């Protein structure tokens, strides 16, 4: 895509000026700073690089301690053998509180300043997540994972139909915009999150749809999984279509969850709706997502880990749907989004025939930053360094990670300055590891690992 490459801005000796309220008032060359800058506080990050904070549009809080789990199969086997039992541990408030600290630490270490976080089933665990996120000064959109049906291994995660709606409603009232009291300035937001269609009933979809419809205009989000795994015989996609007797998986989130895709309730789709994976979409599903402004969280690391295939890049982007990146930790085994973007590069260059694409480094950066802001309908607040946006950024110092330092200092670069810039950006994205992320800022405030 030329768009991202054309829009890429790289400033060799740059300055980012943040005002007292945490907003960007200048981003440009250091020697073009206004005269009065001598009276300002200057933090010298040289020889580091400054990037917009990374935005993870799909990551699971209750899987903080269950990454790299061996389940002896693909998605549904792995959920059954590893994930449901592990997520059940969050019923213990002390366990959940410790996980909230660890989860925030991993986000900070990885420079993930904003995230759509798939929540725990347990309200006290969600309280711990929101409280810790607020204490640390991070941003979050999250909601409890709703399950009203499922296998025995999920028994502790499953609630009654009444409790499912009540608990989501209480979470919205308690946490949506809670830090400032205004969703347009808040760092904390809530989402309605049915785990996936196989984990809920038509009654749940109807009830949550009504709830969502009643809070949409308050900026509440919707989040779930879509068309992730289509393993013959035991795949999630075929099982969902069979269980609901619908024409497409998306129909179950679009109010058309009755047999024959008949309308049974309200739609969850819209500009604050993000669906993870979308590996096996029909054209009509992509068109409907584009039409409604629903976005996709692409999770290539997880898709490889669980044998789900990969979201076809060219076809999906061509549909007009916003595609942002998601770690899907612990389905993915990487928190660091540049590693996930690296996997995106590898899987899409390897797609068969004309479907293959060598993603431009600017497009990778866009997917990990501004596309996430767009998917969250927060492009006016975060995602890049436009004047007036809130100053979320990370400092990357190659000297703090010797393998990266070697690539930056000694790697061959093209004589063409634009290509040389792209080569340096690519090396930074592909070879960055957590130790290279030396500082992380949200709204101009530095936040540190505990
Ligand atoms: N589908 C339903 N639950 C999950 C989950 O926890 N992880 C992934 N990757 N897919 C899911
Ligand atoms: Zn997931």
């Amino acid at each position: 895509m030329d768009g991202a490459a054309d829009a890429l801005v790289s400033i060799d000796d740059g300055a980012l000026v943040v005002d007292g309220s945490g907003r960007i008032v200048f981003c440009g060359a250091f020697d073009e700073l206004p005269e009065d800058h001598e009276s300002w506080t200057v933090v010298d990050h040289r020889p580091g690089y400054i990037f917009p904070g990374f935005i993870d549009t799909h990551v699971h809080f209750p899987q903080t301690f269950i990454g790299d789990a061996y389940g002896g199969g693909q998605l549904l086997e792995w959920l059954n053998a590893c994930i449901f039992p592990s997520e059940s541990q969050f019923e213990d408030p002390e366990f959940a509180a410790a996980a909230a600290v660890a989860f925030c630490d991993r986000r900070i270490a990885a420079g993930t300043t904003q995230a759509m976080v798939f929540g725990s089933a347990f309200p006290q665990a969600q309280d711990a997540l929101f409280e810790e996120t607020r204490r640390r000064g991070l941003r979050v959109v999250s909601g409890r994972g709703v399950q009203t049906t499922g296998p025995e291994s999920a028994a502790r995660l499953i609630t009654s139909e009444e409790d499912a709606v009540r608990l989501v409603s209480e979470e919205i009232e308690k946490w949506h915009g809670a830090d400032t009291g205004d969703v347009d300035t808040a760092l904390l937001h809530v989402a309605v999150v049915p785990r996936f269609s196989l984990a809920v009933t038509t009654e749940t979809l109807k009830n949550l749809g009504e709830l969502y419809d009643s809070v949409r205009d308050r900026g509440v989000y919707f989040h779930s999984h879509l068309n992730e795994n289509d393993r013959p015989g035991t795949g999630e996609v075929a099982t969902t279509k069979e269980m609901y007797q619908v024409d497409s998986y998306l129909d179950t989130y679009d109010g058309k969850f009755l047999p024959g895709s008949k309308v049974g309730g309200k739609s969850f789709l819209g500009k604050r709706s993000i669906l993870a994976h979308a590996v096996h979409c029909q054209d009509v599903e992509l068109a409907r997502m584009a039409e409604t402004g629903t976005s996709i969280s692409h999770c290539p690391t997880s898709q490889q880990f669980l044998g789900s295939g990969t979201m076809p890049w060219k076809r999906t982007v061509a549909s007009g749907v916003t595609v942002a990146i998601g770690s899907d930790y612990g389905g993915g085994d990487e928190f660091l989004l540049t590693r996930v973007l690296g996997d995106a590069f590898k899987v899409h260059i390897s797609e068969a025939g004309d479907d293959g694409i060598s993603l431009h480094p600017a497009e990778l950066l866009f997917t990990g930053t501004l596309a996430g802001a767009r998917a969250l309908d927060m492009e006016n607040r975060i995602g890049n360094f436009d004047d007036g946006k809130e100053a979320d950024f990370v400092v990357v110092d190659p000297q703090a990670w010797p393998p990266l330092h070697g690539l930056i200092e000694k790697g061959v670069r093209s004589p063409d300055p634009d290509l040389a810039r792209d080569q340096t950006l690519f090396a930074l994205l592909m070879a960055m590891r957590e130790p290279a992320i030396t500082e992380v800022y949200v709204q101009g405030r530095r936040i540190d690992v505990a």
Side-chain angles (χ1 to χ4, degrees):
M1 192 221 253
D2 295 338
D6 293 345
L8 181 65
V9 178
S10 166
I11 303 165
D12 278 347
D13 188 16
L16 184 71
V17 182
V18 181
D19 70 11
S21 73
R23 280 177 202 283
I24 294 165
V25 291
F26 175 92
C27 176
F30 188 85
D31 62 12
E32 286 169 18
L33 277 175
E35 296 266 302
D36 57 348
H37 83 267
E38 270 148 32
S39 63
W40 303 345
T41 308
V42 176
V43 184
D44 187 347
H45 296 294
R46 287 175 298 178
Y49 296 78
I50 295 179
F51 287 96
F54 300 119
I55 300 179
D56 192 342
T57 52
H58 183 64
V59 53
H60 291 258
F61 164 51
Q63 294 174 19
T64 303
F65 297 131
I66 190 78
D68 285 309
Y70 176 68
Q74 296 194 357
L75 174 64
L76 299 182
E77 294 90 353
W78 168 83
L79 286 173
N80 205 18
C82 310
I83 296 303
F84 294 152
S86 173
E87 292 196 3
S88 300
Q89 294 173 289
F90 280 61
E91 195 171 3
D92 172 357
E94 274 182 32
F95 190 95
V101 173
F103 183 79
C104 289
D105 276 343
R106 294 211 63 181
R107 280 191 54 188
I108 296 167
T112 301
T113 49
Q114 170 64 308
M116 171 65 95
V117 178
F118 209 101
S120 164
F122 302 106
Q124 68 276 15
Q126 286 298 98
D127 288 346
L129 173 70
F130 281 112
E131 271 155 19
E132 186 64 14
T133 304
R134 174 159 62 184
R135 197 176 71 79
R136 308 295 283 277
L138 284 165
R139 298 175 193 269
V140 79
V141 182
S142 185
R144 65 176 297 271
V146 177
Q147 296 184 237
T148 50
T149 186
E152 186 50 37
S153 60
R156 283 155 69 194
L157 306 174
I158 294 171
T159 67
S160 67
E161 298 290 352
E162 296 72 37
D163 284 350
V165 182
R166 179 179 60 78
L167 293 172
V168 174
S169 178
E170 286 173 4
E171 185 172 23
I172 294 168
E173 297 316 319
K174 185 164 187 183
W175 289 112
H176 189 58
D179 52 316
T180 63
D182 173 1
V183 293
D184 294 330
T185 57
L187 298 182
L188 307 179
H189 296 88
V190 174
V192 174
V193 185
R195 178 166 209 128
F196 64 162
S197 297
L198 287 178
V200 293
T201 65
T202 52
E203 192 180 342
T204 319
L205 290 172
K206 182 171 187 303
N207 294 341
L208 287 182
E210 267 161 33
L211 172 64
Y212 188 60
D213 202 57
S214 71
V215 292
R216 245 182 211 275
D217 61 358
R218 290 168 56 192
V220 174
Y221 290 82
F222 173 74
H223 190 41
S224 195
H225 297 94
L226 174 76
N227 282 327
E228 176 178 358
N229 188 286
D230 203 14
R231 183 186 179 152
T234 57
E236 164 226 21
V237 179
T239 312
T240 303
K241 281 158 78 176
E242 200 178 297
M243 178 168 129
Y244 283 89
Q245 292 293 306
V246 285
D247 302 334
S248 77
Y249 193 149
L250 188 71
D251 282 346
T252 61
Y253 301 135
D254 198 12
K256 298 187 281 183
F257 49 74
L258 295 179
S261 289
K262 266 185 48 200
V263 174
K266 308 267 190 208
S267 176
F268 292 108
L269 307 185
K271 64 179 178 173
R272 290 194 198 86
S273 301
I274 301 182
L275 292 169
H277 298 291
V279 172
H280 307 282
C281 284
Q282 303 171 36
D283 286 344
V284 288
E285 295 179 289
L286 292 175
R288 180 67 180 147
M289 282 191 272
E291 180 191 1
T292 54
T294 303
S295 300
I296 291 172
S297 176
H298 177 33
C299 310
T301 308
S302 159
Q303 286 151 18
Q304 290 183 96
F305 187 80
L306 293 171
S308 301
T310 192
M311 184 202 77
W313 181 273
K314 282 190 184 175
R315 181 173 152 247
T316 309
V317 169
S319 74
V321 181
T322 296
V323 175
I325 206 76
S327 68
D328 195 22
Y329 198 91
D333 61 344
E334 274 291 349
F335 245 88
L336 181 59
L337 287 176
T338 52
R339 296 299 291 142
V340 180
L341 293 165
D343 283 345
F345 181 82
K346 293 171 198 162
V347 296
H348 298 304
I349 203 169
S350 305
E351 283 193 70
D354 286 348
D355 294 336
I357 179 170
S358 172
L359 289 171
H360 193 282
E363 178 132 42
L364 296 174
L365 180 62
F366 168 77
T367 305
T369 55
L370 193 59
R374 195 171 287 173
L376 289 164
D377 195 29
M378 287 189 182
E379 203 175 344
N380 60 332
R381 294 182 61 184
I382 52 175
N384 64 9
F385 297 149
D386 284 352
D387 282 1
K389 287 202 185 183
E390 297 167 30
D392 287 15
F393 60 96
V394 299
V395 179
V396 177
D397 182 356
Q399 293 188 111
W401 181 241
L404 177 61
H405 187 54
L407 300 185
I408 297 300
E409 288 294 305
K410 299 194 168 51
V412 172
R413 295 291 179 267
S414 166
D416 169 3
D418 281 349
L419 183 53
R421 172 202 67 180
D422 295 344
Q423 290 170 330
T424 296
L425 174 59
F426 190 68
L428 283 162
L429 294 174
M430 297 294 284
M432 180 191 306
R433 298 292 184 273
E434 274 95 341
I437 301 176
T438 51
E439 292 176 46
V440 179
Y441 292 78
V442 171
Q443 283 182 333
R445 279 189 304 269
R446 182 172 161 168
I447 51 180
D448 291 298
V449 172

